[in-house]
Amino acid sequence: MDKPLVIGGKTFGSRLLVGTGKYPNNQTMVRALEASGAEIVTVAVRRVELDRGKASLLDHIDLKKYTLLPNTAGCFTADDAIRTCMLAREAGMSNMVKLEVLGDEKTLFPDVEALLEAARVLVREGFVVLPYTNDDPITARKLEDAGCAAVMPLAAPIGSGLGIRNPFNLKIILETVKVPVIVDAGVGTASDAAVALELGCDGILMNTAIASAKDPVMMAEAMREAVSAGRKALLSGRIPKKLYATASSPLDGMFF
């Protein structure tokens, strides 16, 4: 029997989290969200009109169906990230936030020092914090110690589509922390999602791989199926890898 994904005391049936940027139009985004089966949808606070009296991306997201995960995309300092989360909460978006504090514009890798600083402040302020981080087990442990509800190590640079570049670090992170491990960034296609779940990761978050696909809706459906397949493969237990062949049929009792 599988156990559900629990983040910050809330239970989710889907292990696929999806973003809302880069879609060709809002109608395609809505259809892709539906096809993905995701229950958690992340939005960049900086690109959302917070005045609900004006037209907004949020007008196209069924807030009764999806748990909103505002994120701090585009923040390069701890102060900016903290301020962005405060604005999101004041606007009634959510108390659960995806925390990004980026180190530079070329790589978009996290600034670990600033990330930890922001995480500690936000946890003290009562936020449920899901930090986007690198695939470093030590940083993951420090984020858990800071009170984060999950850790979100990157698979590869944001938007790169390179897939999971360091599965061994992800395995160590899974052994290091007890909070959910959700792979974030760098996923290119469905097999990447399946691998993440096969490794034992609790979930996966993606945006570009779906939104920038030739057919975002079909890709969203593929990701949904890949996450399910990866999870089932983990639970069913893969056979061990061996250097030499083993006959598929038993050899005992053969006449010749």
Side-chain angles (χ1 to χ4, degrees), residues 22-76:
K22 296 186 177 179
Y23 284 94
N25 52 62
N26 289 325
Q27 292 71 29
T28 302
M29 178 193 73
V30 170
R31 292 174 57 215
L33 296 184
E34 178 69 26
S36 74
E39 297 172 68
I40 300 176
V41 173
T42 186
V43 295
V45 176
R46 289 187 163 195
R47 61 183 291 263
V48 172
E49 173 56 64
L50 297 180
D51 183 349
R52 297 311 306 274
K54 299 180 180 178
S56 169
L57 172 70
L58 299 181
D59 297 336
H60 302 276
I61 300 173
D62 186 349
L63 299 180
K64 294 180 180 178
K65 180 176 182 179
Y66 300 109
T67 294
L68 208 57
L69 180 65
N71 70 62
T72 61
C75 291
F76 287 85

Side-chain angles (χ1 to χ4, degrees), residues 9-235:
K10 191 170 181 178
T11 300
F12 300 94
S14 173
R15 295 177 180 276
L16 176 59
L17 293 68
V18 294
T20 52
K22 296 186 177 179
Y23 284 94
N25 52 62
N26 289 325
Q27 292 71 29
T28 302
M29 178 193 73
V30 170
R31 292 174 57 215
L33 296 184
E34 178 69 26
S36 74
E39 297 172 68
I40 300 176
V41 173
T42 186
V43 295
V45 176
R46 289 187 163 195
R47 61 183 291 263
V48 172
E49 173 56 64
L50 297 180
D51 183 349
R52 297 311 306 274
K54 299 180 180 178
S56 169
L57 172 70
L58 299 181
D59 297 336
H60 302 276
I61 300 173
D62 186 349
L63 299 180
K64 294 180 180 178
K65 180 176 182 179
Y66 300 109
T67 294
L68 208 57
L69 180 65
N71 70 62
T72 61
C75 291
F76 287 85
T77 69
D79 286 345
D80 280 352
I82 294 167
R83 190 180 306 113
T84 300
C85 291
M86 295 292 186
L87 283 173
R89 183 160 69 180
E90 289 174 8
M93 293 178 72
S94 175
N95 204 42
M96 186 167 75
V97 294
K98 177 190 168 187
L99 175 62
E100 291 185 23
V101 185
L102 303 174
D104 64 56
E105 295 185 358
K106 181 177 181 179
T107 66
L108 299 181
F109 282 141
D111 180 331
V112 171
E113 184 178 6
L115 179 70
L116 284 163
E117 178 187 347
R120 290 173 179 132
V121 171
L122 291 169
V123 169
R124 282 202 303 271
E125 292 292 331
F127 284 92
V128 177
V129 180
L130 284 64
Y132 159 70
T133 182
N134 54 22
D135 58 1
D136 172 25
I138 306 305
T139 302
R141 177 172 52 78
K142 289 182 178 180
L143 289 166
E144 180 183 41
D145 291 344
C148 293
V151 292
M152 306 181 74
L154 55 81
I158 294 173
S160 67
L162 291 172
I164 297 173
R165 298 199 301 177
N166 198 335
F168 303 104
N169 272 27
L170 291 179
K171 292 290 287 184
I172 297 173
I173 290 173
L174 286 163
E175 294 176 0
T176 302
V177 302
K178 292 182 174 59
V179 294
V181 176
I182 300 170
V183 167
D184 183 13
V187 169
T189 189
S191 56
D192 299 331
V195 169
L197 274 293
E198 288 175 11
L199 287 171
C201 295
D202 298 280
I204 188 164
L205 188 152
M206 64 186 73
N207 182 62
T208 304
I210 294 176
S212 296
K214 290 182 180 177
D215 187 333
V217 178
M218 186 182 295
M219 183 60 85
E221 184 177 349
M223 293 297 187
R224 177 181 189 167
E225 293 171 353
V227 168
S228 176
R231 183 68 180 177
K232 289 178 180 176
L234 171 74
L235 296 175

